[in-house]
Amino acid sequence: MSRTREVEHFTPKCHLKITDKRLSKWQNRYKPRKHLQNTLCQSFRKEHPANMILSHLTHPIVGFTTHPGLIYPGIFAYINYQTQKTRLMKQLKLQVQISVDGFIAGPNGEMDWLAWNATEDFIQYVTELTDSCDTMLLGRKLADGFIPYWTDITTRPKDPQYSFARKMVDMPKIVFSNTLDKSSWDNTQIAKSDSVTEINDLKKQDGKDIVMYGGAEFVTSVIKAGLIDEYHLFVNPAAAGKGMSIFGGLEKPGQLSLIKATPLTNGIVVLCYKPA
């Protein structure tokens, strides 16, 4: 009988509720194999830090019997228990429109080069990204136009963008500003403290992830601090020639790993990156 089996072969009955008493019992029973259990747990957390579903772990378990009722429940319980002990932090996701030559706006904030056609696949991508988050971050300059724009659309229920505008207005927002003392917008707080400290504190809270839109100076400062977990760059089929860049102020090159590229029917290609 083979002594190697993929974790994905676990049966549903092995997905057990973990208690300290049960964990202690399994650890004592399989004490000689504890170092192997620790190795598996560490491998799981390294390869899949944001995934609690064990079937996604494809490393073979070497040296364990394949009897489904003997070792497997203990291994599952041990890994699952260990991963749940370390609570995952919220992810900060940057969504930004960008030209093919790397600008998010012209020198004076012009955005006349944007592909304004909101096609069905464009709306679906943005909606799914928005629905994965429960907090929005904005710089003050962007907030001045962004929040009133979506708020105005919510006064027109027949507008095609009404349902999405409702999401934008209802989502809790944090505007980073050194000049504003209080917010005149609904569901909006003003953050005057250090953005690095504020964002790190937000990441530790419970709930969904955090989406960030800009503006340029604010985004650049957050990129420099290494706080972006996902980049969703909506690359428009246009060259701005010159303007505002979110990467221009970096002191050293930053390496990114491409997660996926999604071409849209309006000509935009969404590039999703994570820090390498």
Side-chain angles (χ1 to χ4, degrees):
M1 180 181 291
S2 171
R3 293 172 64 82
T4 301
R5 183 70 64 90
E6 300 278 332
V7 178
E8 63 187 12
H9 292 169
F10 274 63
T11 60
K13 68 180 181 181
C14 293
H15 290 229
L16 304 174
K17 183 178 180 180
I18 312 306
T19 64
D20 289 337
K21 183 177 180 180
R22 177 175 285 157
L23 179 67
S24 177
K25 179 180 178 181
W26 278 326
Q27 287 177 330
N28 289 335
R29 177 186 287 184
Y30 309 125
K31 192 172 183 179
R33 304 177 177 88
K34 186 173 181 181
H35 69 286
L36 290 177
Q37 293 176 343
N38 280 330
T39 300
L40 289 168
C41 178
Q42 292 167 4
S43 176
F44 174 72
R45 286 161 60 184
K46 180 179 179 181
E47 299 296 329
H48 300 274
N51 202 327
M52 308 289 272
I53 304 175
L54 206 59
S55 61
H56 288 183
L57 175 62
T58 57
H59 300 297
I61 299 178
V62 181
F64 287 90
T65 176
T66 57
H67 190 288
L70 183 60
I71 304 297
Y72 277 11
I75 298 171
F76 174 82
Y78 189 83
I79 298 176
N80 194 45
Y81 180 88
Q82 292 293 333
T83 55
Q84 289 191 38
K85 282 172 64 179
T86 304
R87 188 170 63 82
L88 300 176
M89 295 181 69
K90 300 172 74 166
Q91 301 287 290
L92 178 57
K93 301 175 179 180
L94 172 65
Q95 176 187 323
V96 67
Q97 299 272 358
I98 193 167
S99 64
V100 292
D101 50 350
F103 299 106
I104 68 167
N108 299 308
E110 303 93 337
M111 305 188 78
D112 51 350
W113 46 267
L114 285 181
W116 289 105
N117 186 16
T119 54
E120 184 176 341
D121 51 0
F122 176 90
I123 294 172
Q124 180 181 350
Y125 192 104
V126 173
T127 300
E128 290 177 357
L129 180 58
T130 304
D131 287 346
S132 70
C133 303
D134 62 10
T135 307
M136 182 190 305
L137 305 186
L138 300 164
R140 195 272 304 166
K141 293 180 181 178
L142 178 65
D144 283 342
F146 183 95
I147 299 177
Y149 173 82
W150 292 112
T151 301
D152 179 63
I153 293 178
T154 61
T155 65
R156 304 191 300 272
K158 293 184 179 181
D159 192 296
Q161 297 186 86
Y162 176 81
S163 59
F164 185 75
R166 191 76 262 169
K167 291 177 185 286
M168 294 289 97
V169 173
D170 291 343
M171 181 180 289
K173 292 172 279 294
I174 299 177
V175 174
F176 288 79
S177 172
N178 293 322
T179 58
L180 296 178
D181 293 318
K182 62 179 182 179
S183 169
S184 60
W185 304 301
D186 292 338
N187 302 315
T188 304
Q189 302 177 41
I190 302 300
K192 297 181 72 69
S193 60
D194 173 57
S195 60
V196 173
T197 302
E198 185 80 23
I199 292 172
N200 279 324
D201 288 343
L202 285 171
K203 285 187 170 189
K204 295 174 185 176
Q205 296 177 9
D206 293 328
K208 296 182 180 181
D209 292 328
I210 307 163
V211 65
M212 177 180 182
Y213 293 114
E217 292 181 10
F218 176 47
V219 171
T220 298
S221 67
V222 175
I223 293 175
K224 282 183 177 181
L227 296 175
I228 305 292
D229 299 297
E230 287 184 14
Y231 294 80
H232 295 263
L233 307 180
F234 286 65
V235 183
N236 283 249
K242 57 183 177 180
M244 302 178 184
S245 170
I246 58 174
F247 299 109
L250 300 184
E251 298 173 355
K252 60 181 180 179
Q255 299 297 317
L256 302 174
S257 295
L258 180 65
I259 305 303
K260 63 179 179 179
T262 307
L264 305 178
T265 54
N266 61 1
I268 290 175
V269 178
V270 185
L271 301 178
C272 178
Y273 291 98
K274 288 190 175 182

